[in-house]
Amino acid sequence: MPRSYVPEARRRGLGRRRERIGPIVDRLASEHADARIALRFRSDLELLVSVMLSAQTTDVNVNRVTPVLFQKYRTPEDYLAVPAEELERDIYATGFFRQKTKAIRGTMHMLVKDFDGRVPTRLEELVKLPGVARKTANVVAAELGSAQGIVVDTHVRRLSQRLGLTRQDDPVKIERDLQRVVPRADWARFPHLLIWHGRRVCDARRPRCEDCVLEDLCPSSRLGSR
């Protein structure tokens, strides 16, 4: 279990989570107005494939592969029309290419069979697709304008804990805690705000509290503890 900053927030009189969440979202939105998904895509299908390929690699790496990939594969049927070995070669640079190829081909088969070739937007349908876990489903649904949950990656987990928004370490439990306090209208953009803030300011090892717009709202701030 990670250190909980919830008691520290109370000790320092920072207010309850529901009282702080509005200012947290507003300040991050102002500080990171350009916060958005880093993956590049032009269609629902390209979005789904990009997110599936991003597992265990960086968005930058995926973006190097997908321009050529998406020129070659434009429909679910295209991914099924070539031998698995060919698709493996095409996505080799993203790592875990055999597992990803199996998942992508399984997903394409299900899209054709059960969804008329279209990417579903409901979370309960997305998670039925091979290789699509809740995090991937949340990303896809949010980017398609139908956020039904809150994406929890390593940045979201770390910052949610540091901000005293959760005591949990399990992503599913963290998501539940965030859903209780983050306004539903912000479910799609909230993860992007935390991710970009985590990359630019709230580093895992050396958080730059002196440059943080949330310093006075954050129970883990090194400045506030002095």
Side-chain angles (χ1 to χ4, degrees):
M1 177 68 69
R3 175 182 174 183
S4 172
Y5 288 99
V6 175
E8 180 67 12
R10 293 172 181 164
R11 186 185 70 81
R12 289 172 49 191
L14 299 183
R16 296 180 179 274
R17 292 178 296 174
R18 292 184 185 276
E19 297 170 354
R20 290 186 291 125
I21 196 64
I24 287 173
V25 172
D26 290 344
R27 292 186 194 181
L28 289 179
S30 177
E31 185 75 4
H32 308 291
D34 55 345
R36 59 181 58 86
I37 190 170
L39 295 170
R40 298 175 191 152
F41 56 91
R42 299 165 300 179
S43 69
D44 298 358
L45 185 64
E46 289 184 2
L47 166 65
L48 176 59
V49 173
S50 293
V51 180
M52 294 178 73
L53 291 176
S54 69
Q56 304 299 317
T57 190
T58 65
D59 292 344
V60 171
N61 195 32
V62 173
N63 287 337
R64 291 195 187 104
V65 171
T66 50
V68 174
L69 188 74
F70 292 155
Q71 283 295 320
K72 181 175 181 179
Y73 304 95
R74 303 190 180 190
T75 69
E77 290 84 356
D78 290 342
Y79 287 91
L80 299 172
V82 301
E85 294 77 15
E86 184 172 344
L87 181 56
E88 287 177 358
R89 289 194 298 270
D90 291 336
I91 66 171
Y92 177 84
T94 68
F96 298 92
F97 57 94
R98 290 192 180 89
Q99 297 95 313
K100 290 178 182 180
T101 293
K102 182 178 180 180
I104 289 173
R105 285 170 61 86
T107 286
M108 298 307 157
H109 177 75
M110 186 171 288
L111 290 182
V112 172
K113 177 176 177 289
D114 298 335
F115 298 103
D116 197 28
R118 297 186 178 91
V119 177
T121 59
R122 298 301 306 168
L123 211 62
E124 61 267 23
E125 294 176 335
L126 283 165
V127 295
K128 292 179 182 178
L129 300 173
V132 177
R134 185 174 179 87
K135 176 187 170 184
T136 298
N138 267 331
V139 173
V140 172
E143 293 303 316
L144 295 181
S146 183
Q148 296 144 64
I150 297 176
V151 176
V152 177
D153 75 344
T154 55
H155 292 290
V156 175
R157 178 176 61 184
R158 182 177 76 254
L159 270 67
S160 294
Q161 292 167 348
R162 286 180 175 177
L163 287 166
L165 300 178
T166 183
R167 299 171 180 263
Q168 305 297 330
D169 195 42
D170 178 75
V172 174
K173 294 179 180 179
I174 292 174
E175 182 182 359
R176 290 174 186 163
D177 283 348
L178 294 178
Q179 285 176 310
R180 293 188 183 102
V181 296
V182 177
R184 184 153 191 148
D186 293 318
W187 282 8
R189 69 169 176 166
F190 187 69
H192 294 313
L193 296 175
L194 290 191
I195 289 168
W196 285 56
H197 194 64
R199 289 171 176 168
R200 291 171 168 174
V201 179
C202 196
D203 183 77
R205 296 184 178 180
R206 296 182 180 179
R208 292 174 23 235
C209 298
E210 65 278 7
D211 298 322
C212 182
V213 296
L214 304 179
E215 188 276 322
D216 60 318
L217 295 172
C218 182
S220 67
S221 168
R222 292 178 288 104
L223 303 182
S225 61
R226 291 175 181 174

